[in-house]
Amino acid sequence: MSITAQSVWNNCLNFIKDNIQPQAYKTWFEPIMAVKLTDNALSIQVPSKFFYEWLEEHYVKILKVALTKELGETAKLVYIIKMENTYGNKQPFTERIPSSNRSAVKSQDVDVPLKNRDRELRNPFVIPGIRNVKIESQLNPNYNFDNFLEGDSNRLARSAGLAVSAKPGGTSFNPLLIFGGVGLGKTHLAHAIGVDIKDKYPEKTVLYISAEKFTQQYIDSVKKNNRNDFIHFYQLIDVLVIDDVQFLSGKSGTQDVFFHIFNHLHQNGKQVILTSDKAPVDMQDIEQRLLSRFKWGLSAELQTPDFETRVSILKNKLYRDGVEMPDDIIEYVAKHIKSNIRELEGAIISLIAQSSFNKKEINIELAKQVVEKFVKNTKREVSIDYIQKVVSDYFQMDVDTLQSKTRKRHIVQARQLAMFFAKKLTKASLASIGSQIGKRDHATVLHACKTVDNLSSTDKQFRKYVEDLTKKLSV
Ligand code: ADP
Ligand code: MG
């Protein structure tokens, strides 16, 4: 009896079927067709590139075992990717990927044109029943580069953004990750890039979405059993902007699906722009493979703006709103509100409102009252030095002892508590906390935070420490 591609593949399928979940078998193996057998290489045809990535990611081991059983140690697997037919184009687009060189293939930039653009797609932004193939970008035109003022604090991120919008997908800033604290302009800059791209390349499909909404759509798609439509939809985007990716932490299903969408877009030269309130090294509960993708491109930080930048942001805002305000008032506000541009703008708006409602003149007195309210409402941030001092006092040791290299249990605990509170009460990164508390690395701080969490739920005495210190440190 002669061996054919079909007979070899059937034997493989029998083996695989016995070893994986029936649903997975149905989804990932039934659609495959055996095409050809030459020498010791079996060619199989898969329906899409995504399919191929998924097989490589999840089933490459079992495929290898199955095929080696059939064809011996020199067995090879060749994927042929079949793209969907589209109107006017009866020729299927096929692509050959030799499996002898798999790892190289994965990173290689294979340009598979997206030809299923006209297939009916379930667009998660559109109310079911209404067919809408055009993808709305969800961008806010008020957030653009013209009104995103430049300063030392944002120069790198801003110019990286401009470079990306000049050549989306064509720079090494892919993904571009913009990170920084609350109210420092991440969302504004992310929109500005998208708006500028839409301006320069109207034919490109740009989509802005918050990580939270993305997660919700994903969950809905799983519920409605159209996860594949969800994935296909996102694979059509040329420029994908995802805001606040820290929201994905701990959500492994969403991370998994995003990983595959990301790979698809990246491999096809599409641009991905992400924002986060933390640097990649400080992101918790985000899978390593995703973090490593985030680091492929450029991570650019938005820092707190200096005084001059704060003044020019305020002046620009007043100018656009057509409001006049004396310089000394603007400077007073800029001097006292430092760490958040949203609050800076909030104070000025509140000042204008107060003066017009109460028919009061805008003067320094009024500015003081308004600023005071803002400063009071924003909790004062305690310093890491202060935390170390309070914790050492509480355990009756000095700060040097707390920072020392000793492994004595009560000292280790004090140090871990200091790290825990530094993480909880300051905006410092894990790395920066570690370097300030006895020159430890970020992993040590992370471990300390977890240990404190664990101990305070299992150890009564320890919980008391945490409660006492929380009181002492509250401002
Ligand atoms: P984040 O997303 O980092 O929390 P946002 O992008 O929402 O911050 O910005 C908060 C506010 O500050 C917005 O109104 C935004 O327009 C404004 N803003 C931030 N950075 C700048 C800047 N460089 N120039 C002008 N306005 C800015
Ligand atoms: Mg934001």
Side-chain angles (χ1 to χ4, degrees):
M1 206 190 93
S2 71
I3 303 176
T4 64
Q6 197 57 52
S7 70
V8 169
W9 183 238
N10 284 347
N11 290 345
C12 288
L13 284 182
N14 284 336
F15 174 77
I16 292 168
K17 200 173 187 170
D18 281 343
N19 285 286
I20 68 171
Q21 296 290 328
Q23 190 56 44
Y25 178 81
K26 226 172 129 74
T27 311
W28 300 109
F29 290 91
E30 281 188 355
I32 298 177
M33 271 163 40
V35 180
K36 193 167 72 174
L37 184 67
T38 36
D39 300 322
N40 256 354
L42 175 70
S43 303
I44 57 171
Q45 180 175 295
V46 297
S48 69
K49 188 137 186 284
F50 174 73
F51 219 94
Y52 146 73
E53 286 166 10
W54 191 274
L55 289 170
E56 277 288 285
E57 180 80 21
H58 297 267
Y59 298 113
V60 71
K61 282 209 188 97
I62 193 162
L63 278 164
K64 186 161 186 214
V65 174
L67 204 59
T68 319
K69 237 163 54 92
E70 294 305 307
L71 300 173
E73 281 305 322
T74 56
K76 284 200 169 60
L77 186 66
V78 179
Y79 293 98
I80 297 176
I81 299 171
K82 178 179 186 295
M83 295 299 285
E84 272 107 346
N85 280 349
T86 54
Y87 69 97
N89 181 3
K90 292 282 174 309
Q91 207 86 357
F93 179 86
T94 53
E95 185 190 34
R96 224 166 274 248
I97 299 179
S99 73
S100 54
N101 201 5
R102 270 214 199 110
S103 57
V105 165
K106 284 193 97 172
S107 54
Q108 183 188 321
D109 211 350
V110 260
D111 194 23
V112 180
L114 284 165
K115 285 195 177 157
N116 47 357
R117 205 170 277 271
D118 296 282
R119 224 168 50 97
E120 186 165 6
L121 273 162
R122 234 161 292 189
N123 177 339
F125 289 97
V126 167
I127 306 145
I130 302 170
R131 189 154 171 236
N132 186 352
V133 192
K134 194 166 169 290
I135 295 169
E136 287 294 328
S137 66
Q138 322 283 324
L139 289 164
N140 179 350
N142 296 324
Y143 284 156
N144 51 48
F145 274 116
D146 289 340
N147 61 22
F148 189 82
L149 296 201
E150 181 170 346
D152 287 343
S153 55
N154 63 34
R155 188 158 291 119
L156 171 70
R158 190 175 186 280
S159 25
L162 281 167
V164 162
S165 65
K167 261 176 95 184
T171 67
S172 53
F173 308 153
N174 198 11
L176 173 63
L177 173 73
I178 303 160
F179 71 95
V182 181
L184 293 182
K186 301 181 293 294
T187 298
H188 185 143
L189 182 55
H191 276 282
I193 301 169
V195 168
D196 198 28
I197 294 177
K198 252 341 239 179
D199 228 35
K200 293 192 169 109
Y201 304 92
E203 77 289 355
K204 282 205 191 292
T205 310
V206 180
L207 180 71
Y208 167 91
I209 186 162
S210 67
E212 187 173 0
K213 196 158 176 197
F214 179 85
T215 305
Q216 198 50 52
Q217 288 180 349
Y218 169 66
I219 294 169
D220 287 349
S221 81
V222 172
K223 273 195 206 137
K224 297 198 183 112
N225 228 340
N226 53 23
R227 184 178 183 276
N228 282 343
D229 287 341
F230 172 86
I231 292 167
H232 279 301
F233 172 80
Y234 275 94
Q235 290 180 339
L236 292 181
I237 310 287
D238 297 316
V239 178
L240 179 62
V241 184
I242 302 206
D243 202 0
D244 289 319
V245 288
Q246 76 277 355
F247 186 82
L248 300 182
S249 69
K251 304 189 171 61
S252 56
T254 315
Q255 284 180 35
D256 190 53
V257 83
F258 178 57
F259 178 76
H260 288 283
I261 290 168
F262 177 92
N263 282 348
H264 181 97
L265 295 178
H266 196 271
Q267 285 181 9
N268 288 288
K270 306 305 165 89
Q271 179 71 45
V272 179
I273 297 150
L274 309 166
T275 82
S276 163
D277 68 356
K278 293 182 194 70
V281 11
D282 291 317
M283 289 185 201
Q284 292 180 24
D285 297 319
I286 299 267
E287 281 180 55
Q288 207 49 49
R289 57 180 187 160
L290 207 49
L291 280 183
S292 81
R293 297 297 192 271
F294 291 175
K295 292 179 202 154
W296 275 0
L298 176 76
S299 306
E301 181 169 12
L302 288 176
Q303 290 159 335
T304 48
D306 54 28
F307 177 71
E308 276 71 39
T309 312
R310 298 202 294 278
V311 169
S312 45
I313 288 175
L314 284 183
K315 285 193 170 161
N316 184 263
K317 170 140 191 70
L318 289 166
Y319 175 75
R320 275 183 290 123
D321 292 351
V323 179
E324 277 183 31
M325 198 175 287
D327 277 358
D328 58 335
I329 309 261
I330 297 175
E331 282 165 17
Y332 182 87
V333 174
K335 197 169 155 211
H336 289 87
I337 299 184
K338 296 178 194 156
S339 59
N340 184 326
I341 299 173
R342 192 176 298 126
E343 281 175 7
L344 194 63
E345 291 182 340
I348 281 288
I349 292 166
S350 159
L351 198 53
I352 297 167
Q354 292 269 346
S355 89
S356 57
F357 286 144
N358 308 331
K359 306 235 165 353
K360 275 193 213 161
E361 194 198 339
I362 299 185
N363 55 25
I364 285 285
E365 255 331 291
L366 189 63
K368 263 192 188 145
Q369 288 170 21
V370 168
V371 164
E372 226 164 69
K373 254 197 267 153
F374 268 86
V375 174
K376 229 188 265 158
N377 284 342
T378 51
K379 253 190 161 177
R380 199 169 49 110
E381 190 175 297
V382 294
S383 72
I384 294 179
D385 282 345
Y386 178 72
I387 293 171
Q388 295 190 76
K389 172 122 188 33
V390 170
V391 175
S392 328
D393 283 354
Y394 179 75
F395 288 110
Q396 292 162 354
M397 59 179 77
D398 51 40
V399 175
D400 286 343
T401 311
L402 179 130
Q403 292 187 345
S404 68
K405 298 276 179 224
T406 174
R407 310 235 12 105
K408 281 193 189 120
R409 195 176 136 83
H410 71 288
I411 298 173
V412 172
Q413 279 193 349
R415 192 161 55 233
Q416 288 177 329
L417 280 159
M419 290 174 174
F420 169 83
F421 281 106
K423 182 69 207 154
K424 194 168 161 198
L425 303 176
T426 76
K427 292 196 188 80
S429 67
L430 293 171
S432 134
I433 293 170
S435 76
Q436 291 178 66
I437 307 185
K439 299 207 168 43
R440 305 305 207 277
D441 64 8
H442 81 277
T444 309
V445 180
L446 189 56
H447 176 70
C449 295
K450 288 192 175 148
T451 307
V452 172
D453 272 337
N454 283 339
L455 283 179
S456 45
S457 57
T458 52
D459 180 333
K460 232 171 139 192
Q461 176 63 57
F462 198 85
R463 183 157 55 235
K464 176 96 171 58
Y465 295 158
V466 174
E467 285 165 5
D468 287 351
L469 285 166
T470 304
K471 270 187 217 128
K472 283 184 193 299
L473 286 165
S474 66
V475 274

